[in-house]
Structure formats: C-alpha cells, structure tokens
Amino acid sequence: MFTGMFPRFLSSIISWRSVAVLAVIASLLQVTNVLLTRLLKQRQLTAAEAAAGEGSYGLGQRVGLKGQHAPFRRRDYHLGQKLSDDHQAVLSRIARWSVLDSTGEFRVSVGVLRGSGIEASQDEGLDGRDEQDLPESHGLTLVTQCSFARLHRLPLLAKHWQGPISIAVFALSGEVQAVVQTFHLLRQCYPGIKENVTFSLIFPLNSPTSPHLTPTSNTTPCEKIFSEIDQVNYDIKGIQYPANLLRNSARKATITPLMMVIDIDIVPSSGLHDAFVSYANEKNLFGENSGEEKTVWVVPIYEIKESAGIPKTKQDLLKMRENGTARPFYQETCLNCQRYTNYEAWEKSREGRVGYVEPLYEVLWKAVWEPFYIGRNNIPLYDERFRQFGYNRISQVCELHMAGYRFLVLDTAFAVHEGFKTAGGFHKTKDMELEKNRILFRQFREELKDKYPESSRRCY
C-alpha cells in the first residue's frame, strides 16, 4: 500500500519553492562558514603576534599561496626591547620586511643583516625591491641553513669558504631577540662573518612553548656566545623544521649568479670558492650564453672521524680514506643517497692541481640520489612541503633531472662532514618522518609530469 503512495507524497512536498529555499539556506551556511573560518584565523594570528615579546613594531606584507606579496594589515608586533641601536635596527627590519610563507605558519625575513663587503644597503634594505633587483656580482655564494642551536657551526664554515655566505636561521618566536644579538656578536668576534655573511631569519607565528632566552650583552666573550643554547636537532618544541623554506629563503638573499647549497654541518674544501670562480670566468659561466645553462657541478662529500682534522687537499683526503678516518657520506645510513657520485672513479684520479677545479666526468641521475653541487641561482626552488627529515633534497635533485640538467662531478673539489653518520645517531621520530615524506615524494613525482610535459625523464 505504501509503495504507491510514497512517490506521490514526495512529489507533493518537493516543489520549486522548497528547492529555492533550501538553496538560499545552503548559501547562507556557506557564507557563515567562510566568515567564521576567517575570524578564527584572524584571532590566531593576533594571539601569535601578541605572544612574541615586548615592544612595538609595524608589520609589512604577507605572502599568498603562489608566493605573491599582498598587503597586510598593520598591527602592533612585539619583538622585544632594544639592546643597542644596531640591535633595534635589525628588529625593525624584521618587522617591516617580514612576510608570511605560503602556509601562513612562518614569518620570513630575508636578508635582514648583510655582510659589510656585500653590495647592498644595510640601512635602506630592499626599499620595496625584490631580491633579484639587488646589484649582482660575478661570484659564488655558499647557501646554508640551520636552527639557532646549530649556528655555532658558522665560524668554521666562514673560515673555510672565504667568500659570500647566505644563511637562513630558524628560531622560535621567543628567541628572536637572542638570535639577533647573536648575529651581532658573531660579527664582532669574526671579521670574515661581518664582511661576508648575510643573515635571514624564519620563525613560526605560534610557538607558545618557546624559550625566552635572555640576549647576551655586547661584552660577551666570543667563546661564550652559545653557552645558553641546548637543543636537539629536529626537536624544536613540536614545530616541524622547515628545511626547504630555509634553503629557499637563503637563496633569495643571494646576489651572485652561482651558488652552492649545503647544510651547516658540511665544510667545503679550502680554496673551493676561489677555484670555482676562476673556472667560471675561464668558461664564461657568468655570461648570458655560456652553453652551460642546464648544468650543475657535483662536489663529492665525505664524512670524517671526529678530531681527525679537516683535510686541506684531495691528496690529504685520500690518505684519510686509506687509513679509515674518512669514508663517503651516508655510507652506513643511506648508501644510494650518495653512491651515484661514483666515489671510486673520483678517488682514482690523483693528478688534479691544487687550487684548480674542473669537471672530471658526468654521471646520470638515479633514484634517491641527493648530491651537493654548485649551480645557478635560477635552478628550481626546493619544495617547501617537505619538512623535518627525508626527501627534502632528493625531491629537488629529482626535479633537476626532470628539467633536463646534467650532473658533472668536479675533480679536486670536496666537502666533509665531521663525524661518521651511524644508524643509531638519528632522532627518535626519524623513521616516521621519512615515511611521511616518502608518501609526499610519490605525489611530487606525479606532479612533475604535468610541470614538465615534454620531458621523457622520470624520477623512478
């Protein structure tokens, strides 16, 4: 009986009027949801900014999902009381120049303190210009990144590189004052840092458990600059370390056409900067039509036993290799990550001239290879979705492969990591982070097919 009645009953209540009413209600609910979401984000942002310290500075801009700067509503932004005029000047730059990253989670301040020998105005900053509009010099910049806890590695890096360095430092919001003061102390203690190093700063909008370190005074002895810092790598109060965001930020602060991107605990061989600049001049790599537009120059990486001393030349390194105090990077923990550099072929060549570099051979990309290399500053950026541990450099090298780049391995050039990497030497959450980023990498590979539709190469 009910079978025949139900369709007639349904048709009697569903009319065009009721459909229209339902559509209006749905639209109102959608608008309400958007407004509530926007209000919630606004309150979170206000709360995060209010928690950052004491003192008042105006904000600049925010960055949209596609990296485009958009006007940002000005508000009080607290970075702390000044310790000196120089200290306040940098805090003011951070407040004026900083932008939100694409996720809206991190505030990015690019090039807030530049080396005295680098051609850019310290006082006027960018004057609204993009980094690519700064005067460009024919040179090679070392690009690196670290957390505040690893900044103590910078003096050794500056000593061995002896050329321009761009470093992006990650800190918690409560550490901003202390980090800026540390920048100044490093410049006081190390003339090479004052002349050559450009600092950028990245910190999360909301880090409620961040320590409020007391900035040390201008009279702090050089050996005690980092005495209060105690932090395990990748363990930053629940914040996911944005390594690729840091790498991209440090890259954007460079004004040279060539760069070498390394981690803070990797030390390049002495003289590498000058040797490669000489090679670049000889091969006209600084010219617009050099013929090497899609080439990167791979630098073999070794790990050496702690306290063994950093080798000065390739011959010194090979002697350490023979006595067991040096071995290829990641030999124990990720053999395929570095083996395709072909260390055996590199070690067989012993005739390279000291102070001179040139390509020794070309290698083809293979899965999960992540070499360190010298390249142009216009190569693809790092994908900032990769955080914490795993695939952050692999993904970028994979894109170079898809985009048609060649990989030439340099003779005599090398870099070292102090200490052997062992399976038990990683943080506790490493495997979980690796698996998460492995899944993201599979998605990333598929996206590259659409980004480079004409490429016959694949990242498998």
Side-chain angles (χ1 to χ4, degrees):
M1 178 176 77
F2 294 104
T3 303
M5 294 178 60
F6 184 75
R8 290 194 298 272
F9 170 73
L10 189 63
S11 61
S12 65
I13 63 171
I14 299 179
S15 63
W16 68 271
R17 292 185 180 87
S18 58
V19 171
V21 171
L22 289 173
V24 171
I25 293 173
S27 298
L28 290 174
L29 288 174
Q30 186 175 10
V31 171
T32 302
N33 184 53
V34 170
L35 291 174
L36 288 175
T37 301
R38 184 175 298 175
L39 179 61
L40 178 60
K41 288 184 177 179
Q42 190 71 22
R43 288 182 176 178
Q44 289 175 339
L45 180 61
T46 302
E49 291 172 350
E54 297 179 356
S56 179
Y57 299 94
L59 280 177
Q61 296 175 314
R62 63 178 171 88
V63 67
L65 291 178
K66 294 185 179 180
Q68 299 297 318
H69 291 179
F72 193 89
R73 183 180 177 183
R74 299 183 65 86
R75 63 180 73 254
D76 287 340
Y77 187 56
H78 305 289
L79 290 174
Q81 299 174 350
K82 76 171 185 177
L83 295 179
S84 66
D85 290 341
D86 289 340
H87 185 263
Q88 184 175 7
V90 176
L91 292 177
S92 297
R93 290 182 198 128
I94 293 171
R96 292 199 312 269
W97 301 353
S98 60
V99 298
L100 291 178
D101 79 314
S102 60
T103 67
E105 298 176 50
F106 300 101
R107 190 153 288 283
V108 180
S109 304
V110 172
V112 293
L113 186 57
R114 291 188 175 274
S116 59
I118 296 175
E119 193 175 6
S121 171
Q122 294 276 353
D123 297 325
E124 297 179 2
L126 299 182
D127 293 328
R129 295 174 293 171
D130 291 331
E131 290 293 333
Q132 58 265 30
D133 294 331
L134 288 172
E136 184 178 276
S137 61
H138 282 185
L140 167 64
T141 298
L142 192 71
V143 174
T144 190
Q145 47 79 31
C146 68
S147 65
F148 188 21
R150 295 297 176 111
L151 190 53
H152 67 274
R153 302 281 312 181
L154 182 59
L156 179 64
L157 198 60
K159 176 183 177 181
H160 280 264
W161 184 248
Q162 298 179 335
I165 296 175
S166 178
I167 183 170
V169 179
F170 180 82
L172 298 174
S173 56
E175 298 172 336
V176 170
Q177 277 196 85
V179 171
V180 170
Q181 180 66 353
T182 301
F183 293 167
H184 287 297
L185 292 175
L186 286 169
R187 287 161 60 91
Q188 274 185 193
C189 292
Y190 303 98
I193 290 179
K194 181 178 181 180
E195 181 176 359
N196 292 325
V197 177
T198 292
F199 293 94
S200 298
L201 181 65
I202 288 83
F203 55 96
L205 280 176
N206 190 12
S207 53
T209 59
S210 61
H212 288 260
L213 298 178
T214 303
T216 51
S217 70
N218 288 334
T219 58
T220 301
C222 296
E223 67 273 12
K224 293 189 176 182
I225 294 177
F226 298 98
S227 59
E228 293 187 28
I229 304 171
D230 182 20
Q231 188 179 83
V232 178
N233 199 29
Y234 291 110
D235 183 16
I236 313 177
K237 306 296 181 182
I239 305 295
Q240 288 191 324
Y241 186 71
N244 281 354
L245 170 62
L246 290 162
R247 291 185 176 108
N248 288 341
S249 299
R251 281 183 56 175
K252 292 173 183 177
T254 64
I255 60 172
T256 61
L258 295 175
M259 64 176 185
M260 179 179 178
V261 182
I262 63 172
D263 295 335
I264 192 68
D265 53 1
I266 301 292
V267 181
S269 53
S270 295
L272 176 54
H273 169 267
D274 291 348
F276 194 86
V277 169
S278 295
Y279 169 77
N281 281 318
E282 179 183 323
K283 299 298 181 181
N284 192 33
L285 298 184
F286 297 120
E288 294 184 0
N289 300 308
S290 66
E292 301 283 359
E293 292 298 323
K294 286 200 170 184
T295 299
V296 296
W297 295 266
V298 175
V299 177
I301 310 294
Y302 284 78
E303 48 190 48
I304 60 175
K305 281 190 175 181
E306 293 186 24
S307 304
I310 298 177
K312 293 182 179 180
T313 65
K314 179 178 180 178
Q315 286 69 30
D316 293 337
L317 176 61
L318 293 178
K319 290 178 182 178
M320 296 177 67
R321 182 85 167 100
E322 291 169 358
N323 64 31
T325 56
R327 66 185 188 184
F329 193 51
Y330 276 167
Q331 177 175 299
E332 180 180 330
T333 57
C334 185
L335 184 61
N336 289 340
C337 291
Q338 295 293 327
R339 66 181 294 190
Y340 303 118
T341 300
N342 196 347
Y343 288 87
E344 183 178 354
W346 189 80
E347 292 170 3
K348 284 181 179 179
S349 174
R350 295 173 176 261
E351 299 178 356
R353 289 182 287 161
V354 176
Y356 180 82
V357 296
E358 63 180 348
L360 184 59
Y361 52 84
E362 181 175 357
V363 293
L364 301 178
W365 178 92
K366 292 186 179 179
V368 305
W369 188 41
E370 52 174 8
F372 292 92
Y373 57 83
I374 295 171
R376 297 185 180 279
N377 203 8
N378 61 359
I379 63 177
L381 291 169
Y382 293 81
D383 192 300
E384 296 175 6
R385 292 174 295 178
F386 291 91
R387 299 183 187 175
Q388 287 292 102
F389 184 86
Y391 290 92
N392 46 68
R393 286 191 298 111
I394 290 174
S395 56
Q396 198 261 356
V397 175
C398 160
E399 181 166 357
L400 292 181
H401 167 66
M402 286 282 290
Y405 279 77
R406 301 171 65 208
F407 298 89
L408 303 182
V409 180
L410 291 173
D411 195 10
T412 71
F414 63 90
V416 298
H417 175 276
E418 290 187 280
F420 282 179
K421 289 277 190 179
T422 60
F426 291 91
H427 55 293
K428 295 179 180 179
T429 56
K430 170 241 182 184
D431 291 337
M432 180 178 64
E433 295 160 6
L434 187 62
E435 182 58 30
K436 178 181 177 182
N437 282 340
R438 182 182 289 112
I439 295 172
L440 175 58
F441 179 65
R442 291 171 187 158
Q443 175 186 339
F444 176 80
R445 290 185 310 193
E446 296 302 312
E447 293 170 352
L448 289 181
K449 294 179 183 178
D450 295 328
K451 187 172 183 179
Y452 302 98
E454 303 301 322
S455 176
S456 61
R457 299 179 174 185
R458 294 293 180 264
C459 289
Y460 298 98

